[in-house]
Amino acid sequence: MAKKEPDEYTIRDYSAIDRQINEIANRESVLTNKLKQDNLRKLAITSFIFAGALSAIIIASGITVWLIKDQKIVEVVKEKIVEVTKEPKIIIEPHHHNHSQNSSSNNISNLNPNAKIIDNSNNNQLNKEINDRLPNIQGSIGKKLNFSLIWNNYDDLDLHVKTPSGQIINYRKKQSSGGHLDADKNVITKILNPIENIRWDSNPPKGKYEVFTKLYKKDNRNKFQNTNFKIIIHKDQQIVNSYENTLPPNSTGRMVKLFDYNVD
């Protein structure tokens, strides 16, 4: 029987492998830290960019809101300017004074200072002019009270009468307080002998009537000329007052008060 040899134990040196492992671990740690730093730097840059973009959006939004509000204010101001420019509501208030025709006894007050009295000797001619210009449907001057405005060109004049109750009779509201506008010429068809006429055929309310006129539209055929007109008041179909006056070409759109007339 052969003699068994003792076991051999081999001792190996793994220190080199350990060093390699440690070096790899160190490199991985360095790379990991570097990646973390890179990620933090990217996150910081992204956050900064986002914050900057958000701030820019907020600032832009604020500027936009401010501009919109500012634009709206400008638009409102422009609208007000246009509104005032489009239809100026200027009333030329006359001064009270009497004329040699003893106007106070004929219930006239606040007569326009530019008015000129028409002599009574012209009453027949005035009646003829008014009746010739009135519509055939009515056929005559108002039976109880009548205000007539006549002129002789293509302009469009308007007659406005404010009744004692404060209602206004004109082209917009043709009837009120028992009176009505029965003639409104030169609105569309232009003629050289136009008339505006407001009449009461029965029981005109007692109190003060305020009478106005307005050059609504100037015709190009007499664009730079004055418009001479006559205003005649009838009571019980008899002329009690009549006046001449003038509207300059630049008075378009302005309301001009002619006088007050009192019905007892």
Side-chain angles (χ1 to χ4, degrees):
M1 180 175 183
K3 185 181 180 179
K4 185 177 180 180
E5 295 181 358
D7 293 334
E8 294 182 0
Y9 295 92
T10 303
I11 298 174
R12 297 181 181 275
D13 186 3
Y14 293 99
S15 60
I17 295 174
D18 291 338
R19 286 195 300 271
Q20 289 179 355
I21 292 173
N22 289 332
E23 288 177 0
I24 292 171
N26 290 334
R27 284 199 300 271
E28 290 296 329
S29 177
V30 170
L31 290 174
T32 301
N33 290 332
K34 187 176 180 181
L35 287 174
K36 287 182 179 179
Q37 292 176 359
D38 288 339
N39 289 335
L40 289 173
R41 185 164 53 251
K42 289 178 180 178
L43 180 61
I45 293 173
T46 302
S47 300
F48 179 79
I49 293 173
F50 178 78
L54 183 61
S55 299
I57 291 172
I58 294 172
I59 293 172
S61 300
I63 293 174
T64 302
V65 171
W66 179 80
L67 288 175
I68 291 173
K69 289 183 177 179
D70 188 65
Q71 184 178 5
K72 287 182 178 179
I73 293 172
V74 171
E75 289 176 354
V76 169
V77 172
K78 285 182 178 179
E79 288 177 359
K80 295 299 181 184
I81 293 173
V82 170
E83 181 182 348
V84 172
T85 305
K86 181 173 61 176
E87 190 174 351
K89 298 180 180 179
I90 302 172
I91 296 179
I92 301 175
E93 291 289 351
H95 302 288
H96 172 75
H97 63 277
N98 293 326
H99 289 268
S100 59
Q101 197 184 16
N102 192 18
S103 58
S104 59
S105 64
N106 289 324
N107 299 336
I108 290 289
S109 61
N110 291 326
L111 183 63
N112 189 286
N114 297 319
K116 296 179 181 179
I117 297 171
I118 300 175
D119 190 87
N120 289 334
S121 62
N122 293 305
N123 284 357
N124 289 335
Q125 177 61 32
L126 288 174
N127 280 328
K128 184 179 185 308
E129 284 191 67
I130 292 170
N131 282 303
D132 287 345
R133 299 178 190 216
L134 282 174
N136 293 328
I137 296 175
Q138 299 298 337
S140 65
I141 294 163
K143 294 178 181 179
K144 291 298 181 179
L145 181 63
N146 199 95
F147 299 98
S148 299
L149 178 70
I150 59 175
W151 66 103
N152 295 297
N153 64 21
Y154 295 111
D155 291 346
D156 183 5
L157 272 62
D158 286 325
L159 179 62
H160 304 252
V161 174
K162 185 176 181 181
T163 68
S165 65
Q167 298 297 313
I168 296 177
I169 302 175
N170 57 17
Y171 67 94
R172 289 180 179 173
K173 187 176 183 181
K174 295 185 177 181
Q175 298 187 39
S176 181
S177 304
H180 66 277
L181 175 75
D182 65 352
D184 183 9
K185 299 298 183 180
N186 280 4
V187 178
I188 298 175
T189 303
K190 303 292 184 177
I191 57 177
L192 280 172
N193 59 341
I195 184 172
E196 294 261 328
N197 198 77
I198 296 176
R199 59 188 287 138
W200 275 260
D201 287 320
S202 63
N203 302 323
K206 293 182 179 181
K208 183 177 71 174
Y209 292 74
E210 298 179 57
V211 181
F212 303 83
T213 188
K214 180 169 70 173
L215 177 57
Y216 183 82
K217 187 175 182 180
K218 193 75 180 168
D219 191 88
N220 289 329
R221 283 167 284 193
N222 45 274
K223 186 174 182 179
F224 302 106
Q225 299 174 7
N226 290 336
T227 299
N228 301 318
F229 65 89
K230 298 173 185 176
I231 180 76
I232 304 99
I233 309 106
H234 284 79
K235 181 181 179 182
D236 298 325
Q237 295 190 314
Q238 299 295 318
I239 294 178
V240 291
N241 295 93
S242 57
Y243 305 100
E244 292 180 306
N245 212 325
T246 298
L247 293 174
N250 62 350
S251 63
T252 303
R254 291 192 296 177
M255 193 86 78
V256 179
K257 187 169 185 178
L258 301 178
F259 53 81
D260 293 336
Y261 182 78
N262 191 70
V263 172
D264 298 326

